[in-house]
Amino acid sequence: MVTGDAAVLDRRALNRALLARQLLLERTSMPAAGVVGHLAGMQAQAPNPPYIGLWTRIDGFRIEDLAGLVREREVVRIALMRGTIHLVTADDCLALRPVLDGSLRQGLKGTFGRKLEGLDLAKVAAEGRALVEGEPLTLGGIGTALAERWPDRDPFALANVVRTLVPLVQVPPRGLWGESGQAVHTSAESWLGRPLADSTSPDAMVERYLAAFGPASVKDVQAWSGMTRLDESVQRLGSRVRRFRDENGVELFDLADAPRPDADTPVPVRFLPDFDNILLSHADRSRIITEEQRKLVFTRNGLIKPTFLVDGFVRGMWRIEQRRKAATLVLEPFGPLSGKDHDALVEEGNALLAFAAASATARDIRVV
């Protein structure tokens, strides 16, 4: 809780600040690598969502703008925040992975602890590193190979030891638009030709988080990162941060020079991809989505559906249905849309179809 005269930021003020940091108030001319870095990575369980996420943020974005970065090893896909796959710049891969190492190990222990009792994890990791640096492998392939050395152990648990103790990146064609198939892995050091950073301090990461997602509470930073006990890191930012509070009195921190637009700043409609981090990176997500809406968007099997924003807040879900050469954008609003909002969604939806279903000879939009 905050005491004293810290300014109060209501839900709309927090919404506008978040949209400004997320480059959703207006599209940017920043190159794709710069945007991925500014966002401190993009959640990327599937190959295509980051392309949609960049299209909705970058003026004139093309598929090749990201695909080229993947092929040239300027961005990589690796398990980082919350133990989930993120698309990050090569520099962030090497810098963030050591910071998150402890939380990733805790996740391994929590999930596979009993199956790993008595096992020399360092030996498993060393064996796994040698395997993937010799030939990129799927997690299943890693587990099968290691089970020959440790036949009494669960192959999936063995593979996850390697995934946790060795920074595994997914190599192309994984990460290229429209490509399917299982992910194959090698070590970040082998793929990038550089070692991991030495520092394990979370301070720089916390500052990066505030730049992309602030204003935020300590719990918000921890929800995004998957780490705990980040209070001291926030406090060490010192004069670089300002303190606020939300309508419930929760203490919020933000970079002193970060944009905090007026709560009534107009916002264009925006289409967000599956798993967009804007919906995943706060303990209190009310600045962009209600709890009732969250239950519709977040499925029980861990999927986060694509959504659209109206006036800066989640107002529905979308999907593209393709049959032969026809593509239909299906909009599922959570409530009635005004004529103005409907027209804006159709206009932006047509642009989305032109990008995501460029090969379709017939395109349509349907509201259900």
Side-chain angles (χ1 to χ4, degrees):
M1 301 287 286
V2 167
T3 59
D5 299 323
V8 175
L9 298 175
D10 64 18
R11 182 173 180 246
R12 289 184 65 85
L14 291 173
N15 174 269
R16 284 350 189 218
L18 176 61
L19 296 179
R21 316 301 170 81
Q22 290 287 306
L23 309 175
L24 293 170
L25 288 183
E26 58 181 343
R27 284 185 167 94
T28 182
S29 59
M30 194 186 307
V35 172
V36 174
H38 169 76
L39 297 175
M42 307 177 75
Q43 187 144 324
Q45 275 93 327
N48 287 358
Y51 290 85
I52 302 292
L54 292 176
W55 169 84
T56 207
R57 291 171 167 91
I58 299 176
D59 186 31
F61 175 76
R62 304 169 304 134
I63 288 172
E64 182 56 29
D65 294 340
L66 177 55
L69 296 176
V70 174
R71 285 193 292 265
E72 295 301 319
R73 310 188 188 192
E74 294 184 44
V75 299
V76 295
R77 297 164 54 86
I78 182 172
L80 288 173
M81 287 71 73
R82 306 181 298 279
T84 56
I85 297 297
H86 277 70
L87 177 80
V88 294
T89 65
D91 287 344
D92 278 348
C93 169
L94 299 173
L96 291 174
R97 186 55 173 72
V99 176
L100 295 160
D101 183 70
S103 65
L104 295 174
R105 289 173 183 260
Q106 281 297 112
L108 176 71
K109 182 179 178 181
T111 304
F112 297 101
R114 291 185 178 180
K115 295 181 178 181
L116 301 176
E117 287 180 356
L119 187 63
D120 188 332
L121 301 187
K123 286 186 177 180
V124 176
E127 186 83 9
R129 179 185 286 275
L131 287 169
V132 299
E133 290 183 349
E135 176 188 8
L137 295 171
T138 64
L139 282 181
I142 296 170
T144 299
L146 292 176
E148 295 180 6
R149 171 84 178 272
W150 290 276
D152 59 332
R153 300 288 182 166
D154 177 7
F156 187 59
L158 293 171
N160 273 276
V161 171
V162 181
R163 182 179 185 263
T164 302
L165 273 62
V166 180
L168 296 183
V169 297
Q170 300 180 354
V171 304
R174 192 68 170 180
L176 299 179
W177 176 269
E179 293 287 345
S180 58
Q182 290 184 291
V184 294
H185 308 77
T186 189
S187 71
E189 299 95 330
S190 173
W191 185 248
L192 298 177
R194 291 184 281 159
L196 297 181
D198 294 327
S199 175
T200 59
S201 168
D203 294 7
M205 181 191 72
V206 170
E207 190 169 355
R208 294 278 302 283
Y209 168 81
L210 291 177
F213 296 97
S217 67
V218 172
K219 286 185 177 180
D220 290 330
V221 189
Q222 294 176 166
W224 168 77
S225 65
M227 297 180 67
T228 58
R229 302 178 181 178
L230 292 178
D231 309 63
E232 292 183 1
S233 290
V234 174
Q235 298 297 336
R236 280 194 294 267
L237 293 176
S239 61
R240 282 174 287 174
V241 299
R242 287 187 58 190
R243 296 169 184 251
F244 300 90
R245 59 188 173 95
D246 67 15
E247 294 172 296
N248 297 315
V250 175
E251 186 172 26
L252 304 176
F253 301 87
D254 200 15
L255 300 183
D257 58 353
R260 287 176 290 275
D262 186 85
D264 294 323
T265 300
V267 179
V269 299
R270 289 287 185 248
F271 286 90
L272 300 177
D274 326 37
F275 305 108
D276 198 287
N277 259 344
I278 199 172
L279 302 183
L280 291 163
S281 299
H282 297 86
D284 179 1
R285 298 164 180 163
S286 62
R287 68 187 67 194
I288 192 165
I289 188 172
T290 68
E291 180 59 22
E292 292 75 17
Q293 293 166 346
R294 187 196 65 78
K295 293 176 182 177
L296 298 173
V297 173
F298 290 56
T299 68
R300 292 183 178 179
N301 58 357
L303 301 179
I304 293 100
K305 297 178 181 179
T307 57
F308 60 80
L309 306 180
V310 175
D311 188 31
F313 296 92
V314 171
R315 286 286 301 278
M317 301 181 292
W318 64 270
R319 65 182 184 275
I320 294 178
E321 296 178 349
Q322 291 187 279
R323 295 182 180 178
R324 297 181 182 177
K325 288 293 184 177
T328 300
L329 174 63
V330 181
L331 305 180
E332 299 182 51
F334 294 142
L337 297 170
S338 69
K340 179 181 177 181
D341 292 337
H342 175 276
D343 292 346
L345 283 168
V346 168
E347 180 179 358
E348 184 76 353
N350 280 320
L352 173 60
L353 280 172
F355 172 80
S359 62
T361 55
R363 303 186 190 115
D364 188 27
I365 296 178
R366 176 163 53 94
V367 180
V368 298

